[in-house]
Amino acid sequence: MLLNPGPATTTYAVKMAQVVPDICPREKEFSSLMKKLSEDLLKVVHAPQDKYAAVLFCGSGTINIDVCLNSLLPANKKVLIINNGAYSSRAAEVCEYYGLAHINLKFEIDQRPDLEIIESVLKKEPDIALVYTTHNETGTGILNPIKEIGALAHKYKSVFVVDTTSTFAMLPISVQQNNIDFCMASAQKGLQAMAGLSFIIGRKEIIEKSAAYPKRSYYCNLYLQYEYFKKTGQMHFTPPVQTIYAAAQALNEYFSEGETAKWQRHMRAFNALHKGLETLGFKNIIKKEWQAGLVISVLYPDDKNWDFEKIHDYCYQRGFTIYPGKISTANTFRLCSMGAIDENDITAFFVVFKEALEKYNITIPVFYKEKN
Ligand SMILES: *Cc1c(COP(=O)(O)O)cnc(C)c1O
């Protein structure tokens, strides 16, 4: 049972979907599988096929950040990164590596970005052509107001790119209602499939325009991949064949469970995590009403016996994976409601987690010296 923020727990059927006869991905049979998969990915975020396309890449989720930034910036223009966490910081690093002109607009990691500040930057900097942010900052669990940020991006004639890696196929998303021009995810997160397949969903008109933008990468160029797929129905280079079979199965399961029912299941798991943590006295760092509903960032207690590694190992040996935090200013660990899990799995987890605390003589309820 994976309680880390992806890869997520998968169903037996998704695992087994990878075991298929050997096939050359250049066969028509495989092309039609990818065509259906691309259409299904659009449906997940209610993106109309005439306006949006899904562009597939072989890689983990970070490849999408790389592709969007290096491919969608016209010459002599700037990227504005609305940054309140580790994943938007990653986007800023991508800009640095490519030498892309960018503004890294930082906010506190436990605060939502300030829309007035964002607007004042957009007003002052007419060279901004791309506004970028993260939907759910998976490092903390904070949900950003993407609809509002997108509206500002459009007001100032910019393209809006959102990293939805941890919300896609979890939290119901409609691209048009949220002013999203581009969003992205990987199969191993909300979809509950296997790592190795990532995809960008974006407006065709803008992808086609980007053909004329500077080409900064060969393997990771959005237009080249889009164009090749449109012409041939195939990915430019070898696709992750078996991973794609698993993703197709996961999408079937997604639609048969249903967007709303699936989200309710994750919310049950999320609420069960909160309840379990509260009972044991743990504190989390993001205001509950700002949390996306999939990651809880939990503060280490001030008990001298607390040792995350030991607790982790105890739980791991009993089938539950918990995960360290991703915040430089506080010691935290993370618990997530992603994947093929439900409330009863979380209840089972807390039995083991509590045993671990008892085994290592950690006082229950746990305590904190500071107010926090
Ligand atoms: C998981 C995740 C990514 C991608 O990370 P990889 O390790 O490259 O798969 C990107 N953005 C967010 C918000 C994520 O949660």
Side-chain angles (χ1 to χ4, degrees):
M1 200 64 60
L2 301 179
L3 301 179
N4 50 298
T9 306
T10 59
T11 63
Y12 183 75
V14 165
K15 285 187 251 293
M16 292 315 287
Q18 296 177 101
V19 185
V20 287
D22 293 325
I23 182 170
C24 170
R26 303 296 176 204
E27 290 298 328
K28 278 196 215 77
E29 185 186 335
F30 197 77
S31 295
S32 47
L33 178 73
M34 280 204 292
K35 181 167 183 287
K36 166 91 168 29
L37 180 108
S38 304
E39 290 166 2
D40 281 350
L41 290 173
L42 294 180
K43 282 185 202 148
V44 171
V45 286
H46 306 279
Q49 260 187 59
D50 58 329
K51 291 206 176 74
Y52 288 80
V55 186
L56 314 178
F57 286 91
C58 183
S60 81
T62 305
I63 202 171
N64 295 325
I65 305 178
D66 188 318
V67 169
C68 282
L69 290 166
N70 89 58
S71 308
L72 292 170
L73 186 66
N76 307 314
K77 294 287 184 184
K78 266 185 206 165
V79 184
L80 172 64
I81 296 169
I82 319 281
N83 181 354
N84 62 341
Y87 289 93
S88 286
S89 294
R90 190 173 292 179
E93 276 180 30
V94 169
C95 290
E96 280 166 29
Y97 273 53
Y98 280 104
L100 305 177
H102 66 287
I103 298 168
N104 184 4
L105 186 61
K106 286 190 182 169
F107 296 94
E108 296 297 325
I109 56 139
D110 58 353
Q111 298 296 315
R112 302 210 297 184
D114 183 324
L115 298 170
E116 279 178 27
I117 295 176
I118 296 170
E119 178 153 22
S120 71
V121 173
L122 284 165
K123 210 183 262 175
K124 217 171 51 208
E125 303 268 356
D127 285 348
I128 293 169
L130 211 56
V131 173
Y132 181 101
T133 199
T134 306
H135 193 195
N136 167 56
E137 262 297 347
T138 319
T140 55
I142 196 165
L143 187 70
N144 285 326
I146 52 167
K147 184 180 179 181
E148 291 77 4
I149 297 173
L152 283 175
H154 291 164
K155 183 173 167 193
Y156 292 88
K157 308 279 176 273
S158 282
V159 168
F160 186 41
V161 182
V162 191
D163 177 352
T164 50
T165 312
S166 56
T167 44
F168 182 94
M170 293 273 299
L171 193 70
I173 299 172
S174 164
V175 282
Q176 287 182 307
Q177 278 169 24
N178 284 287
N179 301 312
I180 296 173
D181 298 315
F182 290 86
C183 65
M184 58 184 84
S186 297
Q188 82 275 15
K189 296 223 173 170
L191 262 187
Q192 306 175 178
M194 297 298 158
L197 173 70
S198 292
F199 38 87
I200 294 163
I201 290 163
R203 285 186 38 206
K204 287 186 195 177
E205 192 194 338
I206 302 171
I207 302 175
E208 277 162 19
K209 238 165 90 183
S210 77
Y213 297 174
K215 301 219 167 27
R216 304 173 177 99
S217 170
Y218 181 71
Y219 201 83
C220 294
N221 183 274
L222 184 63
Y223 177 75
L224 288 184
Q225 186 76 304
Y226 163 83
E227 178 63 13
Y228 196 90
F229 194 77
K230 201 170 104 174
K231 263 200 329 237
T232 64
Q234 297 173 6
M235 281 167 77
H236 202 166
F237 307 107
T238 308
V241 178
Q242 289 73 16
T243 301
I244 286 178
Y245 280 99
Q249 170 63 22
L251 279 159
N252 290 342
E253 291 179 16
Y254 176 87
F255 292 115
S256 59
E257 183 173 12
E259 180 184 51
T260 309
K262 182 173 186 289
W263 179 236
Q264 284 168 349
R265 172 168 62 77
H266 292 299
M267 283 308 286
R268 282 195 299 274
F270 182 72
N271 291 329
L273 284 170
H274 266 293
K275 192 167 149 242
L277 287 166
E278 246 165 64
T279 308
L280 295 168
F282 282 95
K283 293 185 174 174
N284 51 92
I285 60 157
I286 304 291
K287 256 193 227 178
K288 181 118 189 254
E289 65 266 31
W290 287 352
Q291 294 178 17
L294 29 129
V295 181
I296 307 178
S297 212
V298 189
L299 271 176
Y300 282 3
D302 287 325
D303 195 310
K304 66 174 180 359
N305 291 332
W306 171 261
D307 181 336
F308 177 76
E309 283 304 316
K310 285 185 182 158
I311 304 290
H312 166 276
D313 292 353
Y314 186 95
C315 295
Y316 182 79
Q317 283 152 13
R318 287 154 185 83
F320 296 96
T321 299
I322 62 175
Y323 205 64
K326 210 181 184 55
I327 300 168
S328 51
T329 50
N331 283 321
T332 55
F333 66 99
R334 283 179 284 173
L335 295 177
C336 305
S337 57
M338 202 180 265
I341 58 174
D342 207 334
E343 203 174 4
N344 55 324
D345 300 305
I346 304 300
T347 310
F349 161 69
F350 275 106
V351 172
V352 170
F353 187 64
K354 187 167 180 235
E355 269 171 30
L357 298 179
E358 285 163 354
K359 176 170 163 79
Y360 293 108
N361 297 315
I362 294 152
T363 306
I364 300 173
V366 297
F367 61 88
Y368 295 89
K369 285 190 212 110
E370 313 261 324
K371 57 239 161 323
N372 287 311

